Amino acid sequence: MSRQIEFEHLNLSKWIPDEELKNFKSTVEHARNTLVKRDGAGNDFTGWLNHPVAYDKEEFERILQAAEEIRQNSDVLLVVGIGGSYLGARAAIEFLHHSFFNSLPDEKRKAPRIYFCGNSNSSKYLADLEDMLEGCDFSVNVISKSGTTTESAVAFRIIKQKLEEKYGKKEAAKRVYATTDKANGALKKMADKEGYTCFVIPDDIGGRYSVLTAVGLLPIAVSGADIKALMQGAADMRQRVLEAPYEENPSLQYAACRNLLLRKGKEIELLANYEPSLHYFSEWWKQLYGESEGKNQRGLFPASVDLTTDLHSMGQYIQDGARILFETVLYVEETERNVFIPEAAEDLDGLNYLAGKSMEFVNHAAMEGTILAHETGNVPVMRIKLPKQDEYTLGQMFCFFWFACGVSGYIGGINPFDQPGVESYKSNMFALLGKPGF
């Protein structure tokens, strides 16, 4: 059996005595039961709970077929989406593949280059993207429940025109894959009219919980990743968090610790990683927790750092700034590739004491030293151990964080599945743009 991810308290008892964590059990289990029984606020968006085992197997096969089609006929796949419509897929592709995936020669990459757009209103970004597409065969995966999200809709209109200019309207339509509502919305209406291949965003799964639906699975599969192993990892973690008792349940322990720290004045959770390829996983995590918990002038502020890089910019604040944060470290136990430090004939840089050691050894020492320094500086530290960077581990991570997020939301007395504040900026923007009705 593949190894499981583990949650560690480390030396958290300095801030949360064991007795306090034990006494919090009833509060956490009440929140857990609310989530599992689906009788809390936002319960109509909890389809992700059973999705790893109850997903549509027929559509899953269609995703695999479409991915292979794209792999055969395209040099580039453009993924058009914003928020939950792109962050999960981007996190997965960067987590699972070569650090320079898009720059590798075709024979080494063995998959189309994958670029993401429709996640900003930048004119420069889209113009630069158009330059990059010159001379390339490309396909488009446009992802939107409604089809009217401004950033994605505008980008798709521009790309659609370029696609039709290159291939003609009929052939262009064969290169568009729309992931959208099963029956309603502007994108679904357009897809039916134009004859695009369609995949469904389930009604009961919100965007930030959607990476294991067609939203994320199609681009992840195009990259060459094993989406069956991804789903298996999520299914196994689902069983674990549903069945394990409080004391042994990683999601419940994580939810409990972060909420107790919040009650002690720790207002910022800093997700730290020691691998650059986890950067976009942190971005996915920030949306999940920020959009789920930041309501009613409450909730932890989710922030992230890439270490050791950010120790040379944010390290001073983390060590000596306002004591309002705690740290959750993502630690990959087994690196896929290793580089060893050579011995120099003249030890001019003073590094021969490291000769023969691996960069992974250095990275691990930096992590342990940093954790010790931060704890000494009164920063509580938790750690999530990831056996390796593979599909099975990543599937576990998605489910682990989803479950903990739902439980955390109910502990805090909020609906973890809506996002009312997101609509405010849209109304103001539409009015400034002159959209009818605003």
Side-chain angles (χ1 to χ4, degrees), residues 2 43 64 112 130 172 177 205 261 271 290 306 315 394:
S2 298
N43 61 79
L64 289 170
E130 287 185 317
Y177 301 81
I205 299 180
L261 289 169
L271 191 72
D306 301 326
L394 183 59

Side-chain angles (χ1 to χ4, degrees), residues 261-404:
L261 289 169
L262 175 61
R263 296 180 181 197
K264 295 173 183 288
K266 303 298 183 181
E267 300 174 354
I268 299 170
E269 179 174 9
L270 197 62
L271 191 72
N273 70 75
Y274 285 78
E275 289 292 342
S277 51
L278 269 67
H279 173 84
Y280 265 92
F281 185 86
S282 298
E283 295 300 305
W284 172 86
W285 172 87
K286 284 195 287 190
Q287 186 203 4
L288 177 65
Y289 280 86
E291 204 166 72
S292 295
E293 294 187 313
K295 293 157 194 172
N296 304 329
Q297 290 75 58
R298 301 172 64 184
L300 281 160
F301 182 82
S304 64
V305 286
D306 301 326
L307 303 180
T308 59
T309 304
D310 289 341
L311 290 178
H312 297 262
S313 57
M314 293 298 294
Q316 175 62 40
Y317 188 94
I318 298 169
Q319 189 69 40
D320 289 334
R323 301 297 76 187
I324 57 173
L325 58 84
F326 66 91
E327 192 172 13
T328 300
V329 176
L330 298 177
Y331 166 48
V332 181
E333 295 184 273
E334 180 184 333
T335 187
E336 181 185 350
R337 309 184 72 184
N338 223 327
V339 174
F340 291 86
I341 301 167
E343 184 172 6
E346 292 186 76
D347 191 20
L348 299 178
D349 53 13
L351 292 177
N352 269 356
Y353 77 98
L354 291 175
K357 300 287 197 306
S358 69
M359 283 297 296
E360 177 61 16
F361 172 80
V362 175
N363 202 28
H364 182 263
M367 180 191 69
E368 295 291 354
T370 302
I371 288 173
L372 180 60
H374 289 174
E375 288 176 338
T376 303
N378 202 30
V379 177
V381 181
M382 303 183 288
R383 182 162 62 184
I384 299 168
K385 294 171 68 175
L386 316 176
K388 60 196 304 186
Q389 286 185 230
D390 63 6
E391 292 89 342
Y392 183 80
T393 299
L394 183 59
Q396 290 184 70
M397 291 169 67
F398 285 136
C399 193
F400 165 83
F401 281 113
W402 283 336
F403 197 82

Side-chain angles (χ1 to χ4, degrees), residues 118-129:
N119 46 59
S120 75
N121 287 315
S122 170
S123 177
K124 181 182 185 302
Y125 185 90
L126 275 178
D128 291 348
L129 185 67

Side-chain angles (χ1 to χ4, degrees), residues 15 40 89 98 165 254 322 337 381:
W15 295 273
H98 195 284
E165 288 173 352
Y254 174 57
R337 309 184 72 184
V381 181

